[in-house]
Amino acid sequence: MFDQVTMTLNVDPYIRSALQEDITSEDVSTNSVMPEAKLGEVDLICKQDGIICGLQIFSRVFEMLDPKTKIELFAKDGDAVKAGDHMAKVTGDIRVLLCGERTALNYLQRMSGIATYTHQITGMLEGTGIKLLDTRKTTPNNRIFEKYAVRVGGGNNHRYNLTDGVLLKDNHIGAAGGVKEAIARAKEYAPFVRKIEVEVEDLSMVKEAVEAGADIIMLDNMDHDTMAQAMAIIDGKAEVEVSGNMTEENLAKLSGLGVDYVSSGALTHSAPIMDISLKNLHPIGA
């Protein structure tokens, strides 16, 4: 869950922006059929199997529209849920329930989809000792939600943003004039608490990265034989991350190499949403 400080400072503004995107002046449909406040309730129903994630955000959408809204949860983030499960009941002004429905479900479906997909990939790595990492390939203004969903699904977060760590990629290396030059400049500039990671594409770059003292070496889009040779060159002198073309078949081959991490942008950019609905809306006492 997000703590209260994080929710207030960093999460609420994004939710408010999403609601403002959906309601620029008024909800014409809702105001047409419900001109006055009336108490009602609606059920949150799971429509496919998966890992639920984002219930706190789902709830917060309605609470921001009306603090008197009550959400009774029957599941928690990280739970394995099945089609047909009744996961929550939302009680409040029917106008609020209708206005917040789509935004609340968008967050919940997206986050649950990422958690479910991440859970599937972590299952393929079970017993290997390899940690699964996400990337910065996230939906703009949704990174805080998507990276949280990766953690709920059993994965781990790579750096949150550009301020969070040093990762020297191909264009950084090109700008600096080479692997050794880029690492040397990073060591001189970056705070001493920052690890320095460098992305390499061939064995000559691996050798340079080791000699220059990189903390983490990312093997990018290498075939299995090349990765094995790279691991022999690194020989424990740096932690190793592999990235690119991480299919189920390739993941199965990693366990014998001794790599530490595997990163995948697909966790956040390609996970399908999870099918979830708000159903059975009705006035209370009607």
Side-chain angles (χ1 to χ4, degrees):
M1 291 181 63
F2 295 102
D3 62 80
Q4 188 56 52
V5 173
T6 301
M7 180 69 74
T8 302
L9 292 179
N10 299 311
V11 173
D12 281 357
Y14 288 125
I15 296 176
R16 184 178 300 278
S17 179
L19 286 167
Q20 290 173 333
E21 177 186 52
D22 210 31
I23 309 171
T24 54
S25 60
E26 64 170 325
D27 179 349
V28 180
S29 303
T30 293
N31 290 345
S32 297
V33 301
M34 190 61 58
E36 298 180 354
K38 183 174 290 188
L39 192 65
E41 62 184 19
V42 66
D43 298 319
L44 182 67
I45 305 297
C46 184
K47 300 182 73 175
Q48 69 180 91
D49 298 355
I51 304 297
I52 194 68
C53 179
L55 289 167
Q56 183 187 22
I57 305 306
F58 169 87
S59 301
R60 188 65 179 144
V61 170
F62 296 107
E63 291 166 351
M64 287 182 69
L65 289 172
D66 183 358
K68 297 189 295 293
T69 307
K70 296 181 180 179
I71 300 94
E72 185 178 5
L73 299 176
F74 310 127
K76 64 181 183 301
D77 283 1
D79 282 354
V81 294
K82 295 186 177 298
D85 282 358
H86 183 197
M87 298 187 295
K89 183 180 292 293
V90 186
T91 305
D93 182 349
I94 288 178
R95 298 173 302 177
V96 169
L97 304 186
L98 290 170
C99 287
E101 175 181 3
R102 184 70 269 152
T103 298
L105 285 175
N106 281 348
Y107 280 120
L108 190 61
Q109 289 178 312
R110 178 72 179 140
M111 294 171 73
S112 297
I114 291 171
T116 299
Y117 182 59
T118 301
H119 180 72
Q120 294 170 356
I121 303 301
T122 56
M124 299 176 192
L125 292 170
E126 188 173 358
T128 65
I130 300 171
K131 290 185 176 181
L132 178 66
L133 307 176
D134 58 17
T135 71
R136 286 171 43 248
K137 295 177 182 177
T138 53
T139 309
N141 288 333
N142 277 274
R143 182 171 296 171
I144 195 168
F145 307 109
E146 294 178 353
K147 281 185 169 282
Y148 168 76
V150 168
R151 296 198 305 273
V152 169
N156 299 271
N157 295 150
H158 204 289
R159 58 180 180 162
Y160 182 76
N161 58 28
L162 292 173
T163 306
D164 205 29
V166 178
L167 174 51
L168 304 172
K169 299 173 73 67
D170 54 350
N171 286 329
H172 298 101
I173 293 167
V179 172
K180 291 181 180 180
E181 292 81 1
I183 293 174
R185 292 185 186 184
K187 284 187 173 184
E188 182 179 348
Y189 180 83
F192 78 95
V193 294
R194 294 281 197 271
K195 288 187 176 182
I196 296 173
E197 179 171 6
V198 60
E199 177 186 89
V200 297
E201 300 172 351
D202 56 46
L203 296 179
S204 64
M205 295 177 73
V206 173
K207 293 175 183 176
E208 285 190 77
V210 171
E211 292 170 1
D215 297 301
I216 307 171
I217 298 174
M218 180 197 293
L219 310 180
D220 185 46
N221 281 300
M222 290 186 181
D223 60 39
H224 186 269
D225 290 342
T226 306
M227 283 193 288
Q229 294 178 64
M231 292 301 296
I233 295 169
I234 297 169
D235 193 27
K237 298 180 180 69
E239 293 184 290
V240 180
E241 174 185 340
V242 298
S243 181
N245 197 26
M246 289 298 105
T247 63
E248 183 173 353
E249 179 182 359
N250 288 339
L251 286 173
K253 295 178 181 178
L254 290 178
S255 59
L257 288 176
V259 303
D260 301 289
Y261 312 102
V262 55
S263 57
S264 173
L267 298 180
T268 51
H269 71 58
S270 294
I273 66 163
M274 185 171 159
D275 195 2
I276 304 168
S277 292
L278 280 170
K279 290 289 187 183
N280 309 318
L281 174 62
H282 61 274
I284 294 177

